[in-house]
């Protein structure tokens, strides 16, 4: 049987993927991002790879470290596609943690502080680590010595192979536009009382995220940044239309830096940290003249003479091109004509690199 299983696994790794297979994996990645298992950059990287995957083995690797997602709206659990592998019991330690896993660990730490298992310093340090934890193993280490620990997430039992139960993934223009549905002939499993949520208590409030390459988008990014970190200091920030990234001092040590992705909210891009560059300086987003930046973004194509151009992204950093903090705005059109220019934080144009057509 082992030889048969290994043979099937080897066959799966080279079997060609269908569009529906790529769509299903993209759907799982969408859910994993929404649940906090993936940071913004990881999500975009994996989604792009899912769209170009040629084999089932390539698709399997994109979801191998993810928990099976739950359907939005509190419906039944959905299996993650495992391409013929059985999966039950607890997830391995390298499996990505969800926001709810981090919240449960934080609640356990709060209880441990209240009943005297942790002192104030330990509680503060462990809580910060829990909020940044990327894997279930990271979280379990933080509560390993406590008397009351949150239950480890359990994989849903596989019902069939080569399908994600109860998902209908409908491919439309591009990757990631899919419809979630639940089979009516299978009742939803009972929800534990501690996790029960009344989804009918109030109608959902949907607040669209503006394009980040606009004045309104930048202001929202800056406001969300202040709420998340308590200040507006960055080493570097890069804003695209629908997502952004930021580098700032790591909470573990001010001599280190940590990367964060943003897509309506901030998440640590990886658990890795790097030594902060000696010439790095704190750039205060509050010092950016938002109105001047908005005007520069609106007129960017004309500034760099790119016909029918649009802003692809802009970068706020201590720029070696101008010898001080600046905002570099990049413009491109559909035929790859491009240019860029640099603003001071106060809004004046410092340097222009127009399209030379």
């Amino acid at each position: 049987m082992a030889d048969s299983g290994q043979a099937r696994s080897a066959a799966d790794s080279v079997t060609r993927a269908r569009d529906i297979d790529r769509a299903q994996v993209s759907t799982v990645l969408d859910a994993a991002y929404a649940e906090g298992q993936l940071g913004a950059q990881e999500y975009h990287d994996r989604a792009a790879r899912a769209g170009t995957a040629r084999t089932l083995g390539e698709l399997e690797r994109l979801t191998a470290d993810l928990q099976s997602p739950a359907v939005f709206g509190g419906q039944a659990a959905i299996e993650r596609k495992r391409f013929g592998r059985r999966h039950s019991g607890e997830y391995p330690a390298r499996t990505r943690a969800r926001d709810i896993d981090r919240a449960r660990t934080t609640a356990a730490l709060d209880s441990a502080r209240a009943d005297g298992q942790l002192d104030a310093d330990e509680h503060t340090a462990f809580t910060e680590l829990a909020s940044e934890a990327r894997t279930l193993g990271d979280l379990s280490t933080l509560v390993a010595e406590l008397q009351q620990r949150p239950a480890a997430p359990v994989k849903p039992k596989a019902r069939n192979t080569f399908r994600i139960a109860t998902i209908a993934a409908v491919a439309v223009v591009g990757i990631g536009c899919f419809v979630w549905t639940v089979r009516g002939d299978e009742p939803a499993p009972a929800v534990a009382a501690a996790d029960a949520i009344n989804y009918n208590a109030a109608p959902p409030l949907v607040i669209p995220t503006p394009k980040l390459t606009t004045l309104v988008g930048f202001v929202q990014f800056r406001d969300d940044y202040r709420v998340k970190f308590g200040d507006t200091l960055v080493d570097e920030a890069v804003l695209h239309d629908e997502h952004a990234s930021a580098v700032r001092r790591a909470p573990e040590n001010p001599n280190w830096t940590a990367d964060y992705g943003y897509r309506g909210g901030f998440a640590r891009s990886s658990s890795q940290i790097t030594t902060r560059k000696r010439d790095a300086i704190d750039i205060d987003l509050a010092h950016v003249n938002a109105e001047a930046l908005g005007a520069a973004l609106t007129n960017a194509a004309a500034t760099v003479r790119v016909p029918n151009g649009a802003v692809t992204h802009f970068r706020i950093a201590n720029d070696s091109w101008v010898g001080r903090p600046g905002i570099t705005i990049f413009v491109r059109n559909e035929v790859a004509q491009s240019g860029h220019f640099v603003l001071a934080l106060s809004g004046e144009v410092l340097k222009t690199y127009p399209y030379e057509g």
Side-chain angles (χ1 to χ4, degrees), residues 178-255:
F178 310 109
V179 176
W180 295 82
T181 184
V182 180
R183 284 177 49 157
D185 59 347
E186 295 183 9
V191 178
D195 297 329
I197 300 174
N198 182 7
Y199 289 93
N200 297 317
L205 177 62
V206 179
I207 303 176
T209 301
K211 287 177 60 174
L212 299 178
T213 52
T214 64
L215 169 59
V216 175
F218 168 72
V219 170
Q220 177 165 321
F221 172 84
R222 184 174 63 185
D223 290 347
D224 289 348
Y225 191 94
R226 182 184 291 109
V227 170
K228 169 68 175 179
F229 300 108
D231 60 45
T232 49
L233 303 178
V234 299
D235 283 8
E236 177 186 63
V238 181
L239 285 76
H240 298 259
D241 279 351
E242 297 181 354
H243 64 93
S245 62
V247 179
R248 62 176 281 123
R249 292 178 186 268
E252 300 91 335
N253 188 317
N255 295 319

Side-chain angles (χ1 to χ4, degrees), residues 101-118:
D101 301 321
R102 287 183 277 271
R104 287 171 176 164
T105 298
T106 299
L109 294 171
D110 291 343
S111 297
R113 169 61 180 142
D115 63 20
Q117 295 186 65
L118 298 175

Side-chain angles (χ1 to χ4, degrees), residues 10-330:
D12 289 346
S13 67
V14 297
T15 300
R16 289 301 184 101
R18 303 165 298 172
D19 287 340
I20 188 64
D21 299 320
R22 287 182 278 270
Q24 288 173 335
V25 169
S26 294
T27 302
V28 172
L29 295 174
D30 291 344
Y33 175 71
E35 293 175 347
Q37 297 188 60
L38 296 175
Q41 192 59 54
E42 293 173 306
Y43 165 73
H44 287 293
D45 289 346
R46 294 194 191 195
R49 289 160 60 192
T52 59
R54 304 304 301 163
T55 68
L56 296 182
E58 293 176 63
L59 292 175
E60 160 66 10
R61 287 189 288 275
L62 295 176
T63 62
D65 62 343
L66 301 180
Q67 296 185 53
S68 300
V71 176
F72 298 130
Q75 300 296 328
I78 294 179
E79 296 177 32
R80 173 167 52 81
K81 191 165 187 177
R82 298 297 299 172
F83 300 104
R85 296 185 182 181
R86 293 182 176 273
H87 55 100
S88 60
E90 294 183 1
Y91 290 101
R94 67 182 179 84
T95 303
R96 293 303 183 95
R98 303 166 296 175
D99 289 336
I100 193 172
D101 301 321
R102 287 183 277 271
R104 287 171 176 164
T105 298
T106 299
L109 294 171
D110 291 343
S111 297
R113 169 61 180 142
D115 63 20
Q117 295 186 65
L118 298 175
D119 61 30
D121 290 341
E122 290 174 319
H123 176 261
T124 299
F126 285 8
T127 299
E128 290 180 356
L129 291 173
S131 69
E132 306 296 347
R134 301 307 301 161
T135 68
L136 295 179
D138 295 337
L139 292 176
S140 64
T141 299
L142 297 175
V143 297
E145 298 178 351
L146 302 183
Q147 293 189 40
Q148 300 295 328
R149 297 185 292 273
V154 178
K155 302 178 189 178
K157 182 182 290 186
R159 290 193 295 272
N160 201 349
T161 58
F162 284 91
R163 71 185 180 95
I164 300 177
T166 71
I167 295 181
V170 181
V172 292
V173 180
I175 295 296
C177 300
F178 310 109
V179 176
W180 295 82
T181 184
V182 180
R183 284 177 49 157
D185 59 347
E186 295 183 9
V191 178
D195 297 329
I197 300 174
N198 182 7
Y199 289 93
N200 297 317
L205 177 62
V206 179
I207 303 176
T209 301
K211 287 177 60 174
L212 299 178
T213 52
T214 64
L215 169 59
V216 175
F218 168 72
V219 170
Q220 177 165 321
F221 172 84
R222 184 174 63 185
D223 290 347
D224 289 348
Y225 191 94
R226 182 184 291 109
V227 170
K228 169 68 175 179
F229 300 108
D231 60 45
T232 49
L233 303 178
V234 299
D235 283 8
E236 177 186 63
V238 181
L239 285 76
H240 298 259
D241 279 351
E242 297 181 354
H243 64 93
S245 62
V247 179
R248 62 176 281 123
R249 292 178 186 268
E252 300 91 335
N253 188 317
N255 295 319
W256 300 339
T257 61
D259 296 343
Y260 294 86
Y262 174 84
R263 191 182 178 92
F266 287 91
R268 188 83 167 255
S269 296
S270 74
S271 58
Q272 295 182 345
I273 55 179
T274 57
T275 302
R276 195 168 188 250
K277 297 178 181 178
R278 290 186 177 183
D279 59 351
I281 62 173
D282 289 322
I283 300 172
D284 195 340
L285 297 178
H287 292 166
V288 174
N289 184 331
E291 288 73 20
L293 172 59
L297 293 169
T298 300
N299 300 313
T303 300
V304 292
R305 302 196 294 270
V306 175
N308 300 314
V311 174
T312 58
H313 63 288
F314 64 93
R315 174 178 177 265
I316 304 171
N318 186 27
D319 212 317
S320 59
W321 293 346
V322 295
R324 58 168 163 159
I327 307 169
T328 305
I329 299 175
F330 298 86

